[in-house]
Amino acid sequence: MKDRKLLMIPGPIEFSPEVLRAMGMATTSHVAPNFIEAFGQALEWLRDVFLCPSGQPFVIAGSGSLAMDVAAANLIEPGDHALVVNTGYFGDRFAALLERYGATVTQVLAPALGDAPALEQVEAALKECDFKLMTITHVDTSTAVCADVKGLAALGREYGALVVVDGVCAVAGEELRQEAWGVDLALTASQKAIGVPPGLALVVAGPRAMEAFHRRKAPVGSYYADWTNWLPIMEAYEARRPSYFGTPAVNLVWALNVSLGQVLDEGMDTRFARHRRLSDALKAAITALGMKQVPVSAERTATTLTAPYYPDGVDSSVLGHIKEAGIILAGGLHPDIKARYFRIGHMGVVSASDILATIGAIEKGLAQVGYAFEPGVGLAAAQAIGWPALT
Amino acid sequence: MKDRKLLMIPGPIEFSPEVLRAMGMATTSHVAPNFIEAFGQALEWLRDVFLCPSGQPFVIAGSGSLAMDVAAANLIEPGDHALVVNTGYFGDRFAALLERYGATVTQVLAPALGDAPALEQVEAALKECDFKLMTITHVDTSTAVCADVKGLAALGREYGALVVVDGVCAVAGEELRQEAWGVDLALTASQKAIGVPPGLALVVAGPRAMEAFHRRKAPVGSYYADWTNWLPIMEAYEARRPSYFGTPAVNLVWALNVSLGQVLDEGMDTRFARHRRLSDALKAAITALGMKQVPVSAERTATTLTAPYYPDGVDSSVLGHIKEAGIILAGGLHPDIKARYFRIGHMGVVSASDILATIGAIEKGLAQVGYAFEPGVGLAAAQAIGWPALT
């Protein structure tokens, strides 16, 4: 029996064997011709994955929080007003970050945990003040709430705010059409649906974001996040010229090149559809097993992540039994309900087989803690969603 | 014939097979019990490698420039005075960084390129002003100049300044006894003598640095670099408790655990001595081949890095021939002399065999561009240094 357990948490996720092979390859120089080619190509491919042909990609060693830092530090000047559309923990973080760089922050809160602010609420806030930028958490990893990025971005544009999307748990899984939807900056971390081990902050900035940066009067608050340092480097790699500011995370960039190639081989529309299909199947199983979810409606639910409440009489100890059955899931993150729910990540190379294995292990775990249900009811509900041949 | 060439640049360096295997392992959760153990152990081992038993280690996803950013952002408050002991390009960078966070910076410049400021010069500057901190670049990667950290740190302490050492091209190769020498903060990047692919910023802060941080009145200028976010995380991993601020670069942390274990298995004194012996041998070869070096004296020369000027009639095209012969070296970095010299990194798992292979390839390259010398004279000079059995 295989010892290795399947990692079904909201990042790091399971990575493809080709990506892991790239991670373990002997490290090249950061100015080796083949590395420059791989980095340059990865930058070009980021535009295709973010669906932002006129965007400027940035790949910087760091976590997803660095990607948020890059957005805030480069776009905010002291005294600016910023609007945060808050759907959970990561909205709170963006607010703290924007304030650090001198912004006055207004937050639009969801009417309830698991919900997202209505467009009307956001529009009312936009009317009140001249915001320089607005942030949206596409999928809040703490709640599995998916924001209506398309609708919110259109509103932000209408009222003249730069639209910034925290796509950490979303990009390359959840549908995002950065340029078509008028998103000025989108960001993510490598270890989510992009499919690369943790350690790269990924940002694509559209022309309006770059113009706002070039128009700055105050120096960027963070030295490491400053585009003044990184823009010439990204331009050089894309022009296939050697350049140096800080040593890139070479192995991770090789892995990024491999993974972005795999993402684009699948095609973005096919990929979005696969994430939706697998998510629908898993969520059908969760419902069939009698569990409610943190997001208040199907419309507000992520396709990269599922956040079920434990059923009555069940607590987080069930996660240990599920792990024994071969699947690693994540506990709660949002402080208000931390002990009452758990999280299942399903992004990147995730397959129908992985989803079935996950449901099977959840059923076994629930049975072991004495929860009453008809064995197989979750698996049958997932199967009934009628997905195509296993992929 | 092997296609793979030996990477003898000042980082990324050659990594051990065990480290590369850790890089390519299936990624674990950042809160998996075995990962928490590996991360916690790596933090403990950093204290041993930096020789700073009372230090607080920080491991954060990012490049070496982030490690510098962490030092400056957490220790500087607007209005502080800082002294930079400048031995090249990375002294300039530290000055820019400190200014970004509101410091007024005084630089003590070396009397000439390739030299370091004399202790008397630095003392004169320390007498002039009440500096909150002083930075020293242990080995400036642009010049291969090695600063007298022990002497400078004693001076800094005497005058009440926090002593910050940029050890990017030094830690775990060049002798550094952080606590015994009174260094309040030392930093490095993973891809240098520590022996892990690029992507981790490593910082060890002593008690006086942590006290200065805790006494701050102004918030830390950079959000991502802020110890307020990272200190609880480092404490949690060391106490073997799960915790979350940003997802650690999991594969790199596993690799760090493996490499630090290998470093400590060798022992710090043995390791410093090996670096010195191999450096002496290579530098003897460079001299025997009629080349001068950027550092003005043996006393001011790094043992992790060698920076020879090209001999008369030779230019950077020789690096292409050396590469053909199997060894990748680096060109110049310091803007004043960029085209006139090259750089050879010899850190980490580097062996006597690697040094001989490097000298052999340099001899072949020089011969191919028509430089006149007695073939083998470099190899013989290195061999005459009388190193022990190949390691």
Side-chain angles (χ1 to χ4, degrees):
Chain A
M1 174 144 175
K2 285 190 293 184
D3 183 42
R4 162 129 178 85
K5 299 183 192 307
L6 203 60
L7 192 57
M8 298 292 287
I9 66 173
I13 61 165
E14 293 282 320
F15 303 114
S16 77
E18 296 77 15
V19 163
L20 290 172
R21 249 189 322 267
M23 287 293 291
M25 270 170 34
T27 308
T28 55
S29 164
H30 52 296
V31 291
N34 61 343
F35 178 73
I36 292 175
E37 175 60 30
F39 199 164
Q41 192 174 53
L43 291 166
E44 290 163 2
W45 283 348
L46 277 175
R47 280 198 196 88
D48 300 334
V49 168
F50 283 66
L51 295 167
C52 191
S54 67
Q56 172 61 52
F58 292 89
V59 174
I60 307 179
S63 78
S65 297
L66 176 68
M68 296 169 74
D69 208 45
V70 165
N74 286 287
L75 296 181
I76 288 295
E77 296 187 67
D80 287 341
H81 290 264
L83 183 71
V84 171
V85 180
N86 191 315
T87 46
Y89 181 90
F90 289 92
D92 298 344
R93 175 167 298 184
F94 230 143
L97 242 157
L98 292 161
E99 282 171 357
R100 183 67 62 92
Y101 295 109
T104 303
V105 175
T106 303
Q107 293 213 51
V108 185
L109 300 176
L113 186 73
D115 204 352
L119 292 181
E120 298 69 36
Q121 267 183 281
V122 175
E123 184 163 18
L126 284 165
K127 278 180 177 160
E128 290 292 309
C129 175
D130 190 17
F131 292 106
K132 179 169 185 185
L133 70 77
M134 171 173 106
T135 73
I136 306 162
T137 313
H138 195 159
V139 172
D140 197 291
T141 315
S142 77
T143 56
V145 170
C146 183
D148 173 9
V149 171
K150 190 178 178 184
L152 290 165
L155 270 183
R157 275 283 175 104
E158 188 183 333
Y159 288 88
L162 290 170
V163 177
V164 171
V165 171
D166 168 0
V168 165
C169 202
V171 171
E174 212 68 57
E175 182 179 1
L176 172 70
R177 302 180 186 278
Q178 183 175 349
E179 191 150 322
W181 290 0
V183 172
D184 295 301
L185 183 149
L187 62 91
T188 190
S190 52
Q191 78 275 11
K192 307 280 182 169
I194 286 269
V196 176
L200 293 179
L202 307 170
V203 175
V204 176
R208 294 193 339 145
M210 293 311 298
E211 279 159 29
F213 165 71
H214 289 302
R215 274 198 313 267
R216 287 183 71 93
K217 291 195 175 64
V220 173
S222 155
Y223 183 83
Y224 184 64
D226 188 349
W227 282 342
T228 315
N229 297 321
W230 292 111
L231 181 58
I233 307 304
M234 299 302 133
E235 290 174 340
Y237 275 108
E238 205 166 339
R240 310 300 197 264
R241 281 187 285 105
S243 190
Y244 171 75
F245 167 66
T247 306
V250 171
N251 297 51
L252 285 165
V253 172
W254 277 107
L256 178 67
N257 177 284
V258 169
S259 193
L260 292 176
Q262 293 179 336
V263 169
L264 293 171
D265 276 350
E266 181 176 17
M268 297 314 295
D269 288 333
T270 310
R271 193 170 177 92
F272 297 148
R274 171 169 61 83
H275 279 79
R276 174 157 298 283
R277 194 167 67 241
L278 296 177
S279 174
D280 287 349
L282 176 59
K283 288 171 172 70
I286 293 299
T287 303
L289 286 165
M291 285 183 273
K292 294 198 180 345
Q293 296 171 49
V294 176
V296 293
S297 69
E299 209 188 359
R300 288 281 62 82
T301 305
T303 65
T304 51
L305 177 62
T306 301
Y309 283 108
Y310 298 115
D312 283 346
V314 176
D315 65 18
S316 66
S317 65
V318 73
L319 297 182
H321 296 288
I322 294 170
K323 184 177 170 187
E324 281 301 304
I327 310 289
I328 299 170
L329 303 181
L333 178 62
H334 197 288
D336 294 356
I337 51 169
K338 199 171 165 150
R340 291 173 45 209
Y341 77 116
F342 63 107
R343 297 175 301 149
I344 311 161
H346 31 88
M347 289 172 261
V349 294
V350 64
S351 69
S353 309
D354 298 336
I355 297 291
L356 291 179
T358 301
I359 298 167
I362 292 172
E363 290 197 3
K364 282 183 204 159
L366 288 171
Q368 275 183 291
V369 297
Y371 178 68
F373 67 98
E374 193 189 331
V377 70
L379 288 165
Q383 198 74 316
I385 292 294
W387 49 43
L390 298 185
T391 50
Chain B
M1 173 147 177
K2 285 192 292 186
D3 182 42
R4 161 130 176 88
K5 299 182 193 307
L6 202 61
L7 193 57
M8 298 292 287
I9 67 173
I13 63 167
E14 293 281 320
F15 303 115
S16 78
E18 296 77 16
V19 164
L20 290 173
R21 252 192 316 268
M23 288 292 292
M25 269 170 36
T27 308
T28 55
S29 164
H30 52 295
V31 292
N34 62 343
F35 177 73
I36 292 175
E37 175 60 31
F39 198 163
Q41 193 175 53
L43 291 166
E44 290 163 3
W45 283 347
L46 276 175
R47 281 196 195 89
D48 300 334
V49 168
F50 282 66
L51 295 166
C52 190
S54 68
Q56 172 60 52
F58 293 90
V59 174
I60 307 179
S63 78
S65 297
L66 176 68
M68 298 169 74
D69 208 46
V70 165
N74 286 287
L75 297 181
I76 288 295
E77 296 187 68
D80 286 340
H81 289 263
L83 184 71
V84 170
V85 180
N86 191 313
T87 47
Y89 180 89
F90 289 93
D92 298 344
R93 176 167 298 184
F94 231 143
L97 243 157
L98 294 161
E99 282 172 356
R100 183 67 62 92
Y101 295 109
T104 304
V105 175
T106 303
Q107 293 212 53
V108 185
L109 300 176
L113 185 74
D115 205 350
L119 292 180
E120 298 70 36
Q121 267 183 280
V122 174
E123 185 162 18
L126 284 165
K127 279 179 178 160
E128 291 291 311
C129 175
D130 190 16
F131 293 106
K132 178 168 186 187
L133 70 78
M134 171 173 105
T135 73
I136 306 162
T137 312
H138 196 160
V139 172
D140 197 292
T141 315
S142 77
T143 56
V145 170
C146 182
D148 173 9
V149 171
K150 191 180 177 182
L152 290 165
L155 270 183
R157 275 282 175 106
E158 189 184 331
Y159 288 89
L162 290 170
V163 177
V164 171
V165 171
D166 168 0
V168 166
C169 202
V171 170
E174 213 69 57
E175 183 179 0
L176 171 71
R177 302 180 187 280
Q178 182 175 350
E179 190 149 322
W181 291 359
V183 172
D184 295 301
L185 183 149
L187 62 93
T188 190
S190 51
Q191 77 276 12
K192 308 280 180 168
I194 286 270
V196 176
L200 292 179
L202 307 170
V203 175
V204 176
R208 294 192 339 141
M210 293 311 298
E211 280 157 30
F213 165 71
H214 289 303
R215 274 198 313 268
R216 289 183 69 95
K217 292 196 175 63
V220 172
S222 154
Y223 183 84
Y224 185 64
D226 188 347
W227 282 340
T228 315
N229 297 321
W230 293 111
L231 181 58
I233 306 304
M234 299 301 134
E235 289 174 341
Y237 275 108
E238 206 165 339
R240 310 301 196 261
R241 280 188 285 106
S243 190
Y244 171 75
F245 167 66
T247 307
V250 170
N251 297 52
L252 285 164
V253 171
W254 277 107
L256 178 68
N257 177 284
V258 170
S259 193
L260 293 175
Q262 293 179 335
V263 168
L264 293 170
D265 277 349
E266 180 176 19
M268 296 315 294
D269 288 334
T270 309
R271 192 170 176 93
F272 298 149
R274 171 169 60 84
H275 278 80
R276 174 158 298 284
R277 194 168 67 242
L278 296 176
S279 174
D280 287 350
L282 176 59
K283 288 172 171 70
I286 293 299
T287 303
L289 287 165
M291 286 183 273
K292 293 197 181 346
Q293 294 170 50
V294 175
V296 294
S297 70
E299 210 189 357
R300 289 281 62 84
T301 305
T303 66
T304 50
L305 177 62
T306 302
Y309 284 108
Y310 297 115
D312 284 347
V314 176
D315 65 19
S316 66
S317 65
V318 72
L319 297 182
H321 296 289
I322 294 169
K323 184 178 171 186
E324 281 301 303
I327 309 289
I328 299 171
L329 304 180
L333 177 63
H334 197 289
D336 294 356
I337 51 171
K338 198 170 167 155
R340 290 174 47 208
Y341 78 115
F342 62 107
R343 297 174 300 149
I344 310 162
H346 31 87
M347 288 174 262
V349 294
V350 64
S351 69
S353 309
D354 297 336
I355 298 290
L356 291 179
T358 302
I359 299 167
I362 293 172
E363 290 197 1
K364 282 184 203 158
L366 288 172
Q368 276 183 291
V369 297
Y371 178 66
F373 66 99
E374 192 187 331
V377 69
L379 288 163
Q383 200 72 318
I385 292 294
W387 51 41
L390 299 183
T391 52

